[in-house]
Amino acid sequence: MNNLLSMAWKEMRHDFRDVKTLVFLLAFPILLMLILGFALTNAFSSNATIKDVKVLVHNTSSGQLSKAYAAFAEEAGKTGIVFEDVKTGMDGREEVEQNRYTDYLEISDGGIHLYGSSRSTIESNIVQGMMNSFADRYNAAAAVAKQDPAKVATLLAAAGPEGYIQDSSIDAERQPGAIDYYAIAMTVMIGLWGAMSGGSLIRYEIVRGTAARLAAAPVRKSDIFIGKVLGSVVLNMLCVLVIVMFSKYVFKAYWGDHLLPVFLVLLTEVVMSISLGLAISYMMKGEPSGGVVMIIVQLASFLGGAYFPLGNDIGGFLGSVAGLSPIRWANQALTGIIYNHSMSSAWTAMMLNTGLAVLFIAVAAVMMQRKEGI
């Protein structure tokens, strides 16, 4: 155990001394998060504003209908919809046709008539929905008046400033903005960069000429193997934690209220990534392994949505290939935890990462035991 921990500590000290690589691991994702997050802010915004909704009104009603409409118009005005009375000589329909008003409304004791504009369909539909709600509420009040006139005022007043239109969204109340999305994406990408660290664990010992001395030392191969993997996991996980904390407290990215499962998903991804790099380094036997690992990491980042978001509804060949990216399933898992409080995708991602990590470590361990050195 002492030899194992000493090997892990030695691996961590060596990586900490490589200041350039360490700064790159931290600075690159932070800068990319900042650039993409602010450059693509509008692409993640789902807010739409409706302005200049003007309705021309010809009101000849009297009694309770006139009072109800006056209260309705006052409350609707607080939402940005302006009701203007028609002036002498004005043709309401002509005003709408000339696109000077969104709708033309005629109110009389005989009923309500609304003439909408085909040029402003969204605004016109909003007004139509509000008038339908107003008409339904007034009809209900008229029916109540026949039974208990004292309750009419209470019924009409119950609408309040927001009572004429109430909507419910099937989407989550909170959706990720650009900074939120790229905070997750860059963190997951850094976790996958552990494959490059794993690929260099044994190769650098061979390049520096220390592999033979490690093999001759009175240390079991298993201690060397596990110690180097453990040290690399700790270092890469520290980098991931720095990215998470920096984005959370400096960029104000939203990481939700369930940080423990978030970190567990990231931890399993880091272990899987390092195991992948280590297995490839043994199978490729030499410098080409670094290039292969780099290609795999970049392809996984591109297809997993690290640089631009990929929708969940993509299909065909691209959808099949994207589904193989560890970044994609980790992104989906973290998004589910943070925004939907769902652990199902998190368990799937953790099991996939753990299963692949066991497979890659087993391959690397078998190939290491077959070698004379490490």
Side-chain angles (χ1 to χ4, degrees), residues 194 198-199 201-202 221-233 267-283 352-370 374:
L201 286 178
I202 303 300
K221 282 187 176 182
S222 59
D223 288 342
I224 297 174
F225 184 85
I226 298 173
K228 292 181 75 65
V229 171
L230 180 61
S232 185
V233 167
L267 176 61
T268 57
E269 185 205 10
V270 168
V271 175
M272 183 276 297
S273 303
I274 293 172
S275 306
L276 170 64
L278 188 60
I280 292 176
S281 71
Y282 272 108
M283 289 187 290
L352 280 171
N353 290 334
T354 304
L356 290 174
V358 171
L359 175 62
F360 295 143
I361 287 177
V363 170
V366 168
M367 298 187 73
M368 183 181 187
Q369 289 297 328
R370 291 179 178 178
I374 62 171

XYZ file of all heavy atoms in Angstrom, residues 194 198-199 201-202 221-233 267-283 352-370 374:
395
model
N -8.676 13.432 -19.959
C -7.924 12.494 -19.138
C -7.365 11.346 -19.964
O -6.386 10.697 -19.548
N -3.813 9.563 -19.541
C -3.674 8.120 -19.412
C -2.769 7.524 -20.477
O -1.994 6.599 -20.202
N -2.824 8.080 -21.689
C -1.982 7.571 -22.761
C -0.507 7.830 -22.543
O 0.354 7.138 -23.121
N 0.973 7.876 -19.420
C 1.440 7.363 -18.135
C 2.652 6.449 -18.291
O 3.660 6.602 -17.591
C 0.306 6.611 -17.428
C -0.809 7.466 -16.816
C -1.888 6.580 -16.205
C -0.250 8.416 -15.767
N 2.559 5.508 -19.199
C 3.658 4.554 -19.403
C 4.617 5.056 -20.470
O 5.840 4.884 -20.360
C 3.102 3.172 -19.783
C 2.129 2.680 -18.714
C 4.227 2.171 -19.982
C 2.731 2.540 -17.334
N 4.266 -4.837 -10.018
C 3.705 -4.157 -11.183
C 2.314 -3.604 -10.885
O 1.947 -2.542 -11.390
C 3.627 -5.125 -12.370
C 4.936 -5.379 -13.077
C 4.692 -6.213 -14.330
C 5.987 -6.398 -15.112
N 5.773 -7.160 -16.361
N 1.562 -4.321 -10.085
C 0.205 -3.863 -9.769
C 0.238 -2.554 -8.994
O -0.604 -1.663 -9.199
C -0.541 -4.929 -8.962
O 0.152 -5.217 -7.749
N 1.226 -2.389 -8.098
C 1.348 -1.136 -7.352
C 1.706 0.019 -8.280
O 1.186 1.134 -8.144
C 2.404 -1.274 -6.259
C 1.930 -2.158 -5.117
O 0.709 -2.373 -5.018
O 2.776 -2.618 -4.329
N 2.611 -0.249 -9.223
C 2.984 0.787 -10.198
C 1.778 1.173 -11.041
O 1.473 2.358 -11.234
C 4.127 0.283 -11.101
C 5.380 0.002 -10.271
C 4.421 1.301 -12.199
C 6.503 -0.641 -11.065
N 1.086 0.167 -11.520
C -0.066 0.376 -12.403
C -1.162 1.163 -11.677
O -1.617 2.214 -12.157
C -0.582 -0.982 -12.869
C -1.702 -0.909 -13.864
C -1.446 -0.776 -15.215
C -3.028 -0.975 -13.452
C -2.475 -0.707 -16.141
C -4.063 -0.907 -14.360
C -3.787 -0.782 -15.716
N -1.594 0.665 -10.529
C -2.694 1.314 -9.799
C -2.271 2.687 -9.298
O -3.058 3.650 -9.331
C -3.155 0.428 -8.634
C -3.692 -0.902 -9.157
C -4.217 1.134 -7.805
C -4.023 -1.907 -8.066
N -1.023 2.817 -8.826
C -0.554 4.100 -8.315
C -0.546 5.180 -9.378
O -0.978 6.319 -9.134
N -0.078 4.834 -10.567
C -0.041 5.828 -11.645
C -1.451 6.225 -12.074
O -1.740 7.398 -12.320
C 0.759 5.279 -12.837
C 2.252 5.117 -12.559
C 2.998 4.600 -13.758
C 3.175 5.680 -14.799
N 4.014 6.800 -14.363
N -2.343 5.245 -12.163
C -3.733 5.548 -12.532
C -4.388 6.408 -11.458
O -5.084 7.399 -11.758
C -4.527 4.243 -12.747
C -6.017 4.549 -12.905
C -4.020 3.506 -13.973
N -4.191 6.074 -10.190
C -4.793 6.831 -9.092
C -4.297 8.271 -9.072
O -5.098 9.215 -8.909
C -4.473 6.151 -7.756
C -5.031 6.825 -6.498
C -6.549 6.889 -6.544
C -4.559 6.090 -5.251
N -2.988 8.471 -9.239
C -2.455 9.826 -9.256
C -3.011 10.648 -10.402
O -3.351 11.829 -10.239
N -3.144 10.026 -11.575
C -3.698 10.742 -12.726
C -5.168 11.073 -12.530
O -5.634 12.156 -12.905
C -3.513 9.888 -13.991
O -3.934 10.592 -15.134
N -5.914 10.152 -11.908
C -7.333 10.409 -11.646
C -7.498 11.595 -10.702
O -8.336 12.484 -10.929
C -8.005 9.150 -11.050
C -9.383 9.494 -10.479
C -8.141 8.072 -12.106
N -16.559 12.013 -12.148
C -15.506 11.120 -11.670
C -15.448 9.842 -12.496
O -14.362 9.391 -12.883
C -15.735 10.787 -10.191
C -14.757 9.786 -9.560
C -13.328 10.328 -9.617
C -15.160 9.482 -8.115
N -16.603 9.240 -12.747
C -16.606 8.021 -13.563
C -16.122 8.301 -14.981
O -15.462 7.459 -15.596
C -18.007 7.400 -13.608
O -18.960 8.360 -14.123
C -18.446 6.945 -12.230
N -16.425 9.510 -15.486
C -15.942 9.856 -16.827
C -14.419 9.986 -16.828
O -13.746 9.530 -17.767
C -16.575 11.159 -17.301
C -16.200 11.503 -18.735
C -16.273 12.985 -19.039
O -16.436 13.775 -18.103
O -16.142 13.338 -20.230
N -13.856 10.618 -15.806
C -12.402 10.782 -15.716
C -11.715 9.418 -15.637
O -10.713 9.163 -16.323
C -12.036 11.652 -14.494
C -10.542 11.584 -14.215
C -12.453 13.099 -14.730
N -12.234 8.519 -14.802
C -11.645 7.182 -14.674
C -11.714 6.446 -16.007
O -10.747 5.795 -16.432
C -12.370 6.385 -13.570
C -11.851 4.953 -13.518
C -12.185 7.059 -12.217
N -12.861 6.518 -16.681
C -12.999 5.864 -17.981
C -12.037 6.446 -18.999
O -11.420 5.716 -19.795
C -14.448 6.015 -18.464
C -14.757 5.311 -19.781
S -14.338 6.280 -21.257
C -15.434 7.667 -21.070
N -11.871 7.768 -19.007
C -11.001 8.426 -19.980
C -9.545 8.007 -19.789
O -8.844 7.683 -20.756
C -11.131 9.947 -19.858
O -12.459 10.366 -20.029
N -9.089 8.029 -18.555
C -7.702 7.629 -18.274
C -7.479 6.161 -18.648
O -6.445 5.798 -19.221
C -7.373 7.881 -16.801
C -7.363 9.393 -16.525
C -6.033 7.264 -16.416
C -7.233 9.766 -15.077
N -8.465 5.331 -18.349
C -8.358 3.909 -18.706
C -8.311 3.724 -20.215
O -7.554 2.881 -20.720
C -9.548 3.143 -18.120
O -9.654 3.355 -16.731
N -9.091 4.529 -20.939
C -9.071 4.461 -22.401
C -7.701 4.813 -22.950
O -7.145 4.090 -23.800
C -10.127 5.417 -22.964
C -10.098 5.651 -24.481
C -10.414 4.369 -25.236
C -11.085 6.762 -24.873
N -7.134 5.921 -22.481
C -5.809 6.324 -22.952
C -4.745 5.306 -22.620
O -3.849 5.015 -23.437
N -4.831 4.722 -21.430
C -3.845 3.723 -21.013
C -3.937 2.474 -21.875
O -2.906 1.910 -22.306
C -4.068 3.374 -19.542
C -3.021 2.495 -18.859
C -1.659 3.159 -18.901
C -3.435 2.230 -17.414
N -5.159 2.022 -22.156
C -5.337 0.829 -22.989
C -4.822 1.070 -24.408
O -4.166 0.199 -25.000
C -6.809 0.430 -23.015
N -5.088 2.247 -24.968
C -4.613 2.546 -26.328
C -3.095 2.614 -26.371
O -2.464 2.155 -27.332
C -5.237 3.868 -26.829
C -6.746 3.697 -27.044
C -4.575 4.329 -28.121
C -7.455 4.968 -27.436
N -2.476 3.172 -25.319
C -1.013 3.260 -25.303
C -0.369 1.877 -25.314
O 0.694 1.676 -25.918
C -0.546 4.054 -24.074
O -0.750 3.315 -22.884
N -0.983 0.910 -24.658
C -0.439 -0.454 -24.670
C -0.692 -1.139 -26.016
O 0.159 -1.883 -26.515
C -1.054 -1.282 -23.536
C -0.299 -1.172 -22.243
C -0.816 -0.460 -21.166
C 0.941 -1.777 -22.081
C -0.135 -0.353 -19.976
C 1.646 -1.672 -20.892
C 1.101 -0.958 -19.842
O 1.806 -0.846 -18.666
N -1.862 -0.890 -26.591
C -2.183 -1.566 -27.846
C -1.392 -0.994 -29.017
O -0.986 -1.731 -29.927
C -3.688 -1.457 -28.115
C -4.537 -2.300 -27.181
S -6.287 -2.335 -27.621
C -6.784 -0.657 -27.216
N -22.229 3.136 -17.798
C -21.464 3.052 -19.037
C -19.997 3.384 -18.800
O -19.094 2.662 -19.253
C -22.055 4.002 -20.086
C -23.294 3.531 -20.838
C -23.878 4.679 -21.662
C -22.958 2.362 -21.752
N -19.751 4.474 -18.091
C -18.369 4.873 -17.807
C -17.637 3.820 -16.981
O -16.484 3.478 -17.273
C -18.349 6.215 -17.070
C -18.754 7.382 -17.952
O -18.596 7.325 -19.168
N -19.277 8.427 -17.349
N -18.312 3.311 -15.966
C -17.673 2.310 -15.104
C -17.393 1.019 -15.855
O -16.317 0.428 -15.729
C -18.560 2.021 -13.878
O -18.822 3.245 -13.179
C -17.883 1.048 -12.941
N -18.368 0.583 -16.659
C -18.173 -0.640 -17.423
C -17.027 -0.528 -18.413
O -16.193 -1.448 -18.534
N -16.958 0.594 -19.118
C -15.863 0.803 -20.068
C -14.524 0.927 -19.347
O -13.498 0.433 -19.836
C -16.132 2.044 -20.906
C -17.274 1.934 -21.926
C -17.533 3.286 -22.583
C -16.952 0.888 -22.982
N -14.526 1.592 -18.185
C -13.283 1.728 -17.423
C -12.749 0.362 -17.002
O -11.541 0.085 -17.110
C -13.516 2.605 -16.195
N -13.625 -0.506 -16.513
C -13.202 -1.859 -16.117
C -12.642 -2.613 -17.311
O -11.607 -3.301 -17.214
C -14.392 -2.622 -15.496
C -14.039 -4.086 -15.282
C -14.806 -1.976 -14.175
N -13.299 -2.494 -18.463
C -12.829 -3.172 -19.674
C -11.451 -2.680 -20.096
O -10.538 -3.484 -20.364
C -13.844 -2.961 -20.805
C -13.449 -3.509 -22.182
C -13.285 -5.024 -22.135
C -14.475 -3.105 -23.237
N -11.285 -1.344 -20.153
C -10.002 -0.786 -20.605
C -8.871 -1.095 -19.619
O -7.745 -1.407 -20.030
C -10.134 0.729 -20.795
C -11.077 1.120 -21.894
C -11.904 2.244 -21.766
C -11.159 0.376 -23.054
C -12.765 2.605 -22.778
C -12.041 0.734 -24.082
C -12.841 1.850 -23.934
N -9.159 -1.005 -18.326
C -8.132 -1.306 -17.314
C -7.732 -2.776 -17.386
O -6.548 -3.130 -17.250
C -8.636 -0.937 -15.907
C -8.665 0.585 -15.745
C -7.761 -1.553 -14.832
C -9.205 1.060 -14.418
N -8.727 -3.641 -17.618
C -8.420 -5.069 -17.722
C -7.517 -5.341 -18.921
O -6.549 -6.114 -18.830
C -9.720 -5.871 -17.839
N -7.810 -4.707 -20.050
C -6.972 -4.878 -21.246
C -5.555 -4.397 -20.978
O -4.571 -5.084 -21.291
C -7.588 -4.121 -22.441
C -6.607 -4.076 -23.621
C -8.888 -4.773 -22.869
N -5.426 -3.194 -20.377
C -4.097 -2.645 -20.095
C -3.346 -3.509 -19.084
O -2.136 -3.752 -19.227
C -4.231 -1.214 -19.577
N -4.047 -4.002 -18.056
C -3.386 -4.814 -17.025
C -2.883 -6.129 -17.602
O -1.769 -6.577 -17.281
C -4.357 -5.067 -15.872
N -3.672 -6.774 -18.446
C -3.254 -8.030 -19.062
C -2.036 -7.813 -19.936
O -1.063 -8.600 -19.893
C -4.413 -8.642 -19.870
C -3.918 -9.789 -20.744
C -5.521 -9.120 -18.934
N -2.054 -6.749 -20.735
C -0.908 -6.483 -21.620
C 0.338 -6.090 -20.820
O 1.462 -6.411 -21.215
C -1.270 -5.387 -22.624
C -2.424 -5.777 -23.537
S -2.714 -4.585 -24.851
C -1.313 -4.909 -25.921
N 0.156 -5.422 -19.699
C 1.302 -5.062 -18.851
C 1.932 -6.309 -18.222
O 3.156 -6.426 -18.131
C 0.852 -4.090 -17.755
C 1.983 -3.602 -16.863
S 1.383 -2.480 -15.584
C 2.920 -1.927 -14.870
N 1.094 -7.258 -17.780
C 1.618 -8.466 -17.165
C 2.375 -9.331 -18.167
O 3.320 -10.058 -17.796
C 0.453 -9.293 -16.571
C -0.175 -8.687 -15.343
C 0.794 -8.589 -14.167
O 1.679 -9.420 -14.009
N 0.608 -7.563 -13.346
N 2.033 -9.247 -19.434
C 2.707 -10.038 -20.467
C 4.051 -9.455 -20.863
O 4.877 -10.139 -21.483
C 1.822 -10.164 -21.694
C 0.584 -11.040 -21.488
C -0.259 -11.098 -22.733
N -1.422 -11.975 -22.542
C -2.343 -12.176 -23.468
N -2.261 -11.545 -24.647
N -3.361 -12.989 -23.215
N 7.448 -2.557 -17.797
C 6.118 -2.016 -17.510
C 5.450 -1.560 -18.796
O 4.323 -1.150 -18.797
C 6.202 -0.850 -16.509
C 7.018 0.306 -17.074
C 6.732 -1.333 -15.198
C 6.945 1.550 -16.230
